[in-house]
Amino acid sequence: MCNAKARNGSFSLDAVREILRQGGIEPVEVSGDCTDVIKAHADRVDLVILGGGDGTMNAAAAALVETKLPLGILPLGTANDLARSLGIPLDPLAAARLITTTQARPVDLGWVNGHYYFNVASIGFSAELAGELTAESKKTWGVLGYAVAAVRVLRRVRPFTVTIEHDGQVEKVTTIQASVGNGRHYGGGMTVEEGATVDDGKLDFYSLEVAHWWRLLALLPALRRGTHGRAQDVRAFKTTEVRLTTRKPRPVNTDGELTTYTPAHFKVVPKVLRIFAPESEARPGRFLPI
């Protein structure tokens, strides 16, 4: 399946089809809601190949878990953070060759209030940013669209109070963003935590407890590297389960989509899904070149 609304959703798949056939995979092309389609064809196929970005993968997660079908990724989205986290080439033809030459490897999923996610779930600034971004702006501006939207959101972002419950501790803090990461990359250029992986059985939590929005600009290099947890005004820890409660319900952004609200119960679901990807030792610590 290919998401035609993805930034590169119009990419010609003729060469991809040929690569798959040469590798012994006969593609069966379908269209429609990915959840319904995956479930409907589960007993007739051996794997699912999705062309799109992180939103496409997120939408298919529940059906993939239910059917236990392995996933092949053709990165055709704006940020392709899951592909980057897994070391999957961002060139769709190279990604297709990888599907035919490598094994499907188990990965973790994050879970919040019944919704699965691959990369990160957040409340606060990131959720407001997700609400600001449109499919059209991402298709037009690509990753730059995140920066344009972020500047607009920064003007109105305000700190809020959140109660954090994890590992027998309860903490009440003031923050502008609280994030619970499962993977490594998110947001078209950010890193959850420098050592995070999608198969480590852990969630990486961080809270940006900054006094002024402009402090985010100073933190930007660390947010890109995943070293922001060392800053004094950033709370960070690893866990397997965490609950976030706010005075008023706040939207939760999962892989770029607003899917639920606080109070939010997060947990990691270890190795619940398989994805065709390089061995963990072969995955780069930085973004792959296109």
Side-chain angles (χ1 to χ4, degrees):
M1 293 182 64
C2 180
N3 180 6
K5 296 181 180 180
R7 186 170 191 236
N8 297 310
S10 60
F11 179 85
S12 175
L13 297 177
D14 290 341
V16 169
R17 296 184 188 100
E18 184 58 28
I19 289 171
L20 293 175
R21 290 188 178 110
Q22 290 178 359
I25 298 174
E26 181 59 40
V28 178
E29 297 180 48
V30 292
S31 60
D33 177 82
C34 61
T35 297
D36 294 338
V37 168
I38 290 170
K39 291 180 180 179
H41 290 78
D43 58 350
R44 287 174 273 171
V45 299
D46 298 313
L47 68 155
V48 174
I49 299 176
L50 291 176
D54 296 300
T56 302
M57 308 306 151
N58 183 285
L64 292 168
V65 171
E66 181 178 329
T67 61
K68 296 181 169 46
L69 288 169
L71 171 65
I73 298 175
L74 298 178
L76 299 177
T78 302
N80 301 305
D81 289 309
L82 177 60
R84 294 177 188 273
S85 292
L86 288 166
I88 295 171
L90 300 187
D91 173 10
L93 301 185
R97 292 189 192 95
L98 184 143
I99 294 170
T100 67
T101 57
T102 193
Q103 297 179 5
R105 307 185 191 283
V107 301
D108 307 333
L109 284 177
W111 179 97
V112 54
N113 291 357
H115 299 270
Y116 290 111
Y117 64 94
F118 286 98
N119 302 322
V120 71
S122 302
I123 63 172
F125 173 74
S126 180
E128 292 188 40
L129 178 59
E132 185 80 19
L133 278 168
T134 64
E136 184 176 346
S137 67
K138 287 194 287 185
K139 200 159 190 173
T140 302
W141 298 102
V143 175
L144 182 60
Y146 287 86
V148 173
V151 171
R152 291 198 294 262
V153 173
L154 272 175
R155 298 176 186 174
R156 62 174 187 263
V157 68
R158 296 291 183 273
F160 60 94
T161 300
V162 59
T163 300
I164 308 165
E165 299 177 65
H166 72 98
D167 304 301
Q169 302 179 52
V170 179
E171 303 167 291
K172 195 170 187 177
V173 305
T174 300
T175 184
I176 63 169
Q177 175 172 305
S179 297
V180 186
N182 173 65
R184 181 181 178 85
H185 297 303
Y186 72 102
M190 303 296 113
T191 303
V192 175
E193 198 277 333
E194 60 182 337
T197 67
V198 293
D199 54 6
D200 59 6
K202 296 287 186 181
L203 297 173
D204 289 276
F205 176 91
Y206 74 82
S207 170
L208 301 177
E209 297 163 16
V210 298
H212 302 283
W213 65 264
W214 49 259
R215 171 63 177 144
L216 279 182
L217 301 179
L219 279 173
L220 186 58
L223 284 164
R224 292 185 65 85
R225 293 191 302 267
T227 57
H228 45 279
R230 303 174 190 171
Q232 288 187 342
D233 46 6
V234 177
R235 183 182 309 268
F237 56 82
K238 290 182 180 291
T239 188
T240 57
E241 189 171 7
V242 61
R243 295 176 186 267
L244 302 181
T245 306
T246 54
R247 187 171 63 87
K248 295 180 179 179
R250 283 185 165 269
V252 180
N253 164 22
T254 56
D255 293 341
E257 307 292 331
L258 301 179
T259 53
T260 185
Y261 289 83
T262 56
H265 176 200
F266 303 81
K267 61 183 178 181
V268 65
V269 187
K271 296 179 171 51
V272 70
L273 190 151
R274 292 176 296 145
I275 300 178
F276 292 92
E279 294 183 34
S280 57
E281 294 78 10
R283 296 173 196 162
R286 297 181 180 179
F287 288 170
L288 287 172
I290 296 177

